[in-house]
Amino acid sequence: MRLYWNYFMMTLKSQMQYKISFLLTVLGQFLTAFTSFWGIKFIFARINGIDDFSYGQVLLCFSMIMLSFSIGEMIGGGLAVFPNLLREGGFDRILVRPRSVTLQLIVPNMDFSRLGLLVQAVIVLCIAVPVSGIEWTVGKAVVFFLMIVCGSVIFFCLFLMIASVAFFTIGSLEFLNIFTYGMRQFGRYPFSVYGKTTLRFLTFVIPLALIQYYPLLYLLDREDGLVYMISPVLSLLFLLPSYLLYRVGLRNYKSTGS
């Protein structure tokens, strides 16, 4: 673990080598993310609710998705460089080192500039909690914590799956970003607003509704079943297909010879 901690610190120090540039990038992430917040505010200046969800409840949903996405992207967003590693032969160097291939991919490519998005999500969360209308209890606080943690894992899995596709295509497929950056935008509102077909897809295929919509119903006292409470934990089953795709790609990897 000491080696990976050194990896982590080296990555952080390298990204902060030019401190002003790093801080400006973080600030840019922070300010850009607020455009979505103001978009929601402008919409609710003209309407009272969306699919029976109030302004505060939508803000809570928005902040949770942003928190989850920012953590997942900070850890896994750097996997976007994976196709280049395959083409240029950099992945071959990773394979011959006597350490975990997965951690060698993740740790050096972490993107700490996403702290700007994380801070913005925390600020929106502080605004949303008092106006959400939720009667908070210890149990509800635990469920909300699980929504964020499990959501971060799901977004990381999506980044990993998209990177794993490069094993078979030797290149990035940009349209797959709809499942990461696109889902971040869709997640600004409860997934039920997009219709039953989309809700089913986000329940049984990409289980983002399990970390957003269903536990939100529990927090709002609209549903009280155990399934709604533990739905964020059930979403972790998505780890299996994402890791399986990665392992199948790794097992069938053939060097490009670069």
Side-chain angles (χ1 to χ4, degrees), residues 33-253:
F34 263 107
T35 58
S36 297
F37 168 74
W38 288 112
I40 294 174
K41 189 172 182 63
F42 289 148
I43 289 174
F44 276 91
R46 291 164 175 77
I47 61 175
N48 295 322
I50 295 178
D51 197 26
D52 294 329
F53 291 95
S54 68
Y55 172 65
Q57 294 161 2
V58 170
L59 272 191
L60 187 71
C61 192
F62 169 77
S63 61
M64 187 281 299
I65 284 291
M66 285 298 184
L67 273 170
S68 300
F69 180 84
S70 60
I71 297 171
E73 187 186 25
M74 188 185 302
I75 299 172
L79 291 173
V81 305
F82 187 57
N84 292 333
L85 286 176
L86 293 180
R87 288 195 301 269
E88 297 170 4
F91 189 62
D92 295 351
R93 292 195 299 271
I94 292 176
L95 289 175
V96 298
R97 295 170 184 160
R99 290 293 184 270
S100 167
V101 173
T102 307
L103 289 177
Q104 288 186 73
L105 282 173
I106 294 171
V107 179
N109 294 306
M110 292 180 66
D111 188 356
F112 295 99
S113 67
R114 300 307 177 186
L115 286 170
L117 183 60
L118 180 64
V119 172
Q120 182 263 359
V122 172
I123 292 174
V124 175
L125 177 62
C126 293
I127 297 172
V129 168
V131 298
S132 63
I134 296 174
E135 296 181 4
W136 291 97
T137 62
V138 174
K140 289 183 178 180
V142 171
V143 170
F144 188 72
F145 176 76
L146 289 175
M147 291 166 70
I148 296 171
V149 173
C150 296
S152 303
V153 174
I154 297 303
F155 276 113
F156 169 77
C157 288
L158 289 172
F159 281 111
L160 180 62
M161 291 186 76
I162 291 174
S164 300
V165 171
F167 278 122
F168 310 98
T169 62
I170 316 297
S172 60
L173 300 179
E174 297 298 333
F175 77 90
L176 292 177
N177 287 331
I178 192 175
F179 297 115
T180 51
Y181 299 99
M183 290 301 172
R184 180 188 70 177
Q185 296 301 317
F186 290 150
R188 293 184 297 173
Y189 304 100
F191 287 126
S192 62
V193 306
Y194 302 110
K196 293 183 178 179
T197 301
T198 300
L199 184 59
R200 291 192 191 100
F201 178 82
L202 295 176
T203 301
F204 300 108
V205 182
I206 299 177
L208 286 172
L210 295 181
I211 56 98
Q212 190 240 49
Y213 176 67
Y214 297 110
L216 181 65
L217 295 181
Y218 170 77
L219 295 180
L220 297 174
D221 294 319
R222 298 185 185 181
E223 299 288 350
D224 59 359
L226 179 63
V227 174
Y228 291 87
M229 292 178 62
I230 66 171
S231 60
V233 178
L234 295 177
S235 72
L236 296 181
L237 291 172
F238 191 64
L239 281 164
L240 296 176
S242 59
Y243 186 69
L244 179 62
L245 177 63
Y246 169 72
R247 292 301 302 179
V248 169
L250 186 60
R251 194 168 301 152
N252 292 277
Y253 168 71

